[in-house]
Amino acid sequence: TEPPNRAIVTVSLTEKAKDQFTTGIGYGTDTGARAKLGWTRSRVNDRGDDIYSNIQVSQIGQEVTFQYHIPWPHPLKRYLSWDTGWKHEETTDRESTLLSTGLSLKRIEQQHWQYSVGVNLEHENYQQGDNPDETITYALPNFHYIRRQLFTRPDATESTLKYWFDTSLGFSLLEDHTLFWSVLGGASLVHELNHTHSLATRVELGAIMTGDFYAVPLSKRFYVGGDQTVRGFRYNTLAPEDEDGELVGGQFMNVFSLEYRYRLTENWQAATFVDTGRSYISSHAPFHSGAGIGVRWMLPVGTFSFDIAKPITGEDDSSIRFHLYLGMVL
């Protein structure tokens, strides 16, 4: 006799196409309208190498990236990555063009944590305010780490903790006066008080150690303002200024955020929040704060946020800004 509860399962496998193309258009308050075109080639050879490339165009800049992944030994969990890119960005009081290439070892553990350790060679041309163009070529050993932890409780509520740490050591190759060490770290927590009410908080701190801050490349300095730091202010408009009122960027950065969320349906939440932060050279620099309301749409890939915010400190305290952002799952 045959055993009970027996089932026959038929599995059919189809080989994935080697070349895949992706396109997308969108809008974000930090970037404006944007469009993206991506190309991926899997299994370049018998070793399992992969190629990833993207072209992205927005109202504040353009970016081209190319990645070549070599399994070491697992193609999805640990691999060597050769990354090359070109990026041009033009925002308030500054313009920067960056060409970079580098080799790194990357490790990914599903959606829980990932790290990268490597070294880049970067060439940057930038202009700050009305100052003359500056050009610098430098090496950048770097380390990046991010981790996500999920805590569930018997009452079916949960909390999500995410924290990250980035550090890099930059030194110029053609000049002898530029050396800097940059450290950036932060954490965010979403804590469900019950099925209806939850709190979200975020903190991020950064510092650049150097003997000559004004020799640090413009793209490595700190700026705040926008939907990722202090809502109610325009993207990257909060930073120290020179004697002409032009933004020069900060040597240090502090950002804090607190948000209350109320569940409307299973996938929609209403929110009210307050942000505060500063980018500074002198520790006496003031914090800039903004507050507002918004809605959250919970998607499988992350959280889509739509916010209305206004400054509550500073000279710009009468303006109201809209912020759109899609926060991806780690």
Side-chain angles (χ1 to χ4, degrees):
T1 60
E2 295 185 355
N5 303 322
R6 182 179 180 182
I8 298 176
V9 178
T10 302
V11 179
S12 178
L13 301 178
T14 302
E15 186 176 6
K16 184 174 67 174
K18 278 194 173 184
D19 294 295
Q20 299 183 42
F21 297 90
T22 57
T23 59
I25 58 174
Y27 180 87
T29 44
D30 282 357
T31 62
R34 60 176 182 254
K36 184 177 181 180
L37 173 64
W39 167 60
T40 300
R41 164 159 281 199
S42 303
R43 306 183 312 279
V44 176
N45 50 33
D46 294 339
R47 186 174 55 196
D49 296 1
D50 296 325
I51 294 175
Y52 301 86
S53 63
N54 283 289
I55 300 175
Q56 183 165 306
V57 179
S58 71
Q59 289 181 233
I60 65 170
Q62 307 82 41
E63 184 174 7
V64 180
T65 59
F66 175 89
Q67 297 181 348
Y68 190 94
H69 291 179
I70 302 173
W72 196 38
H74 196 288
L76 299 179
K77 291 186 176 182
R78 193 175 72 178
Y79 53 88
L80 288 173
S81 179
W82 172 45
D83 296 26
T84 297
W86 174 88
K87 182 177 181 179
H88 175 79
E89 185 175 84
E90 187 172 354
T91 58
T92 304
D93 298 339
R94 66 189 180 101
E95 183 176 1
S96 172
T97 300
L98 178 66
L99 179 64
S100 65
T101 186
L103 186 66
S104 61
L105 172 64
K106 298 184 178 182
R107 176 75 184 272
I108 299 175
E109 186 58 40
Q110 297 179 352
Q111 292 184 346
H112 300 298
W113 59 267
Q114 61 188 50
Y115 74 78
S116 169
V117 57
V119 59
N120 288 357
L121 177 64
E122 302 192 355
H123 177 80
E124 183 173 352
N125 177 264
Y126 60 90
Q127 183 180 24
Q128 179 266 318
D130 295 326
N131 294 325
D133 286 4
E134 298 281 351
T135 300
I136 184 172
T137 301
Y138 53 97
L140 197 74
N142 56 83
F143 174 78
H144 309 282
Y145 179 84
I146 183 170
R147 184 177 181 89
R148 178 176 179 267
Q149 292 180 277
L150 183 66
F151 304 94
T152 58
R153 296 186 295 280
D155 59 358
T157 60
E158 62 183 31
S159 299
T160 303
L161 172 65
K162 184 166 69 173
Y163 50 93
W164 57 92
F165 176 79
D166 297 338
T167 185
S168 56
L169 177 66
F171 53 91
S172 58
L173 300 180
L174 304 180
E175 302 87 5
D176 59 0
H177 62 277
T178 302
L179 177 66
F180 64 93
W181 178 33
S182 177
V183 178
L184 178 66
S188 64
L189 174 68
V190 179
H191 176 66
E192 293 186 357
L193 302 173
N194 52 45
H195 186 70
T196 303
H197 307 279
S198 61
L199 294 174
T201 185
R202 182 175 184 269
V203 58
E204 190 167 22
L205 305 172
I208 301 172
M209 278 68 77
T210 180
D212 183 4
F213 170 72
Y214 294 99
V216 175
L218 209 62
S219 66
K220 300 299 182 284
R221 303 179 191 178
F222 295 118
Y223 299 82
V224 299
D227 52 44
Q228 290 298 284
T229 52
V230 183
R231 287 163 286 189
F233 295 87
R234 288 186 295 131
Y235 174 64
N236 282 358
T237 54
L238 302 178
E241 301 175 349
D242 61 16
E243 59 274 11
D244 298 321
E246 308 283 1
L247 299 177
V248 299
Q251 186 174 356
F252 305 95
M253 186 261 290
N254 312 140
V255 174
F256 307 94
S257 178
L258 180 63
E259 180 172 297
Y260 164 74
R261 299 177 182 177
Y262 178 84
R263 187 183 299 273
L264 301 172
T265 67
E266 193 63 31
N267 296 320
W268 288 88
Q269 297 175 331
T272 181
F273 58 85
V274 60
D275 302 331
T276 187
R278 61 177 181 167
S279 166
Y280 61 99
I281 298 174
S282 168
S283 60
H284 300 292
F287 280 85
H288 299 270
S289 302
I293 59 174
V295 293
R296 306 288 175 262
W297 183 19
M298 317 305 289
L299 299 170
V301 296
T303 302
F304 177 78
S305 301
F306 173 74
D307 294 322
I308 302 174
K310 71 182 300 291
I312 55 178
T313 61
E315 300 177 357
D316 200 22
D317 59 0
S318 62
S319 66
I320 294 178
R321 297 193 62 81
F322 298 94
H323 296 276
L324 296 173
Y325 175 69
L326 176 61
M328 308 300 290
V329 176
L330 173 63

